[in-house]
Amino acid sequence: MTEQDINQLLGKLPQLKQEIQKVIVGQEEVLDEVLITLLAGGHGLLEGVPGLAKTLLVRTLANAMDLGFRRIQFTPDLMPTDILGTEVLEEDHATGKRFFKFNEGPIFANIVLADEINRTPPKTQAALLEAMQEYEVTYAGTTYTLPKPFFLLATQNPIEQAGTYPLPEAQLDRFLLYIKIKYPTELEELNILTSTTGTRQEQVYPAISGEEILQLRQLVREVSISEDLLTYVNQLVRTTRPDTTSSEHIKSYVRWGAGPRAGQALILTSKARALLQGRFAVTAADVQTMAYPVLRHRILVNFTAEAERITPDQVVEELLQHIKLPKAILA
């Protein structure tokens, strides 16, 4: 691509945000993290109490892109075939022969909303693993490729534990970012009340195509990152592990640290954040900002931490204070 093509492509990102913000009031940080997940080619887990527009955010994102969208409402009786699809017996009316035909499930879409993913049993949750990691589905020995781009956003409610199935660590690690949605500010909440209780309905128009998303994903990988920052990322991830850490805080409160996938996620999302802000080089601020949504679901705290109400985010905060930036970056 020429420089003009790249600038034109990057100009689509502010337009995309503007279309989404017609409906979503505030939540700037959450919106950025969702777009970073999309640009980095991963999947996101959205967590927030009811009424914070988790589902509306994903639906609006789909409307702002010229892509296919499907929503799956997860329930305790949902089966893997309800997500992936199933074979049905059909008859050829011309010959009278019967044959099996695979009917694609709702997973075969560009953007998939897995609503309240923690309400379905592990067997059904596991059905998403291959799709999320390999971008394909295997049924009855035949592999079916998912459409590109493929982007899955799952939501979960943190306050209701009865009748839910917490996601196992292996599946949590498949999510690039763990995005927490907080309550809006007083002014934002007032704007929400004003804009949603009248007769005016905002129309969201597609601002970007699937092909352009794929081009942006390739562009993300071309964003430069210095050797010093790569070393810094490596130190951050390795210091989360109790057996190799130099931090007494980690040794006291962490049961399992992050794996190599965390380092990959931290670098890719830092590159995506830089590109989202119109930069072609990663800064230390990118890495430190993305450390929270990248690491909070990859650090398992122990019983001592739970008893003292120490959260993974507090562990990450201590981690960032413990690992000093290289002098070359500070200079």
Side-chain angles (χ1 to χ4, degrees):
M1 289 189 295
T2 65
E3 184 177 348
Q4 183 179 357
D5 293 334
I6 293 173
N7 290 333
Q8 187 176 1
L9 195 57
L10 292 178
K12 296 291 185 76
L13 292 175
Q15 296 175 26
L16 178 61
K17 286 186 68 173
Q18 284 178 352
E19 290 298 320
I20 297 172
Q21 287 170 335
K22 286 181 180 179
V23 176
I24 303 300
V25 178
Q27 302 292 2
E28 186 83 21
E29 183 179 338
V30 171
L31 179 54
D32 281 347
E33 289 178 1
V34 168
L35 292 178
I36 286 168
T37 309
L38 174 67
L39 293 176
H43 310 287
L45 179 62
L46 290 168
E47 181 180 274
V49 298
L52 295 186
K54 299 185 295 295
T55 303
L56 181 62
L57 171 60
V58 183
R59 185 179 293 279
T60 306
L61 173 67
N63 292 338
M65 295 190 289
D66 191 17
L67 297 172
F69 169 71
R70 299 294 294 272
R71 172 184 174 182
I72 308 171
Q73 184 66 50
F74 280 73
T75 56
D77 60 347
L78 198 71
M79 298 296 291
T81 52
D82 296 326
I83 298 172
L84 306 179
T86 186
E87 284 187 340
V88 294
L89 186 63
E90 293 195 354
E91 182 177 340
D92 187 337
H93 296 292
T95 63
K97 291 184 178 180
R98 295 183 177 183
F99 60 94
F100 282 101
K101 179 184 176 182
F102 180 72
N103 280 356
E104 296 179 349
I107 196 72
F108 286 86
N110 296 112
I111 301 178
V112 177
L113 170 59
D115 216 355
E116 295 189 284
I117 191 174
N118 58 333
R119 288 199 173 278
T120 201
K123 180 180 180 180
T124 307
Q125 291 174 357
L128 293 174
L129 284 176
E130 183 188 9
M132 291 171 62
Q133 188 67 23
E134 307 298 338
Y135 297 91
E136 58 187 25
V137 167
T138 301
Y139 187 93
T142 304
T143 299
Y144 304 90
T145 303
L146 295 173
K148 293 182 180 180
F150 175 70
F151 180 46
L152 185 138
L153 278 168
T155 68
Q156 66 177 13
N157 178 355
I159 60 174
E160 291 181 359
Q161 299 303 322
T164 63
Y165 305 84
L167 291 171
E169 286 73 16
Q171 187 162 343
L172 279 173
D173 195 36
R174 305 283 177 173
F175 289 99
L176 189 71
L177 293 186
Y178 186 180
I179 303 167
K180 289 195 173 184
I181 304 181
K182 301 175 183 177
Y183 285 112
T185 64
E186 183 177 357
L187 181 59
E188 289 172 350
E189 194 158 359
L190 182 60
N191 289 335
I192 291 170
L193 296 177
T194 303
S195 62
T196 58
T197 56
T199 57
R200 184 179 176 183
Q201 296 290 327
E202 290 289 353
Q203 186 68 34
V204 178
Y205 299 98
I208 197 167
S209 68
E211 183 61 34
E212 288 168 332
I213 290 294
L214 293 175
Q215 291 175 348
L216 283 167
R217 286 182 174 182
Q218 183 59 39
L219 205 56
V220 163
R221 292 181 173 271
E222 295 176 13
V223 173
S224 64
I225 181 170
S226 67
E227 289 293 331
D228 289 318
L229 272 178
L230 282 172
T231 302
Y232 178 64
V233 169
N234 195 38
Q235 289 177 338
L236 283 176
V237 174
R238 291 185 61 80
T239 306
T240 64
R241 303 165 192 165
D243 55 341
T244 61
T245 189
S246 57
S247 168
E248 291 301 323
H249 191 271
I250 301 291
K251 290 179 181 177
S252 301
Y253 297 117
V254 175
R255 182 157 51 101
W256 291 104
R261 188 179 284 151
Q264 295 170 331
L266 190 50
I267 291 169
L268 274 177
T269 54
S270 296
K271 287 184 174 186
R273 184 177 188 269
L275 196 68
L276 189 62
Q277 296 186 354
R279 292 181 281 107
F280 292 93
V282 176
T283 65
D286 293 324
V287 174
Q288 292 175 333
T289 301
M290 300 314 302
Y292 291 93
V294 166
L295 294 175
R296 64 167 56 115
H297 59 301
R298 294 182 168 98
I299 294 176
L300 299 182
V301 296
N302 56 26
F303 293 116
T304 304
E306 291 176 1
E308 297 182 20
R309 296 186 177 180
I310 292 176
T311 65
D313 276 11
Q314 291 173 308
V315 173
V316 174
E317 184 177 0
E318 176 68 25
L319 179 69
L320 293 174
Q321 293 176 0
H322 179 76
I323 303 297
K324 304 301 180 184
L325 283 168
K327 293 182 180 179
I329 298 175
L330 293 173

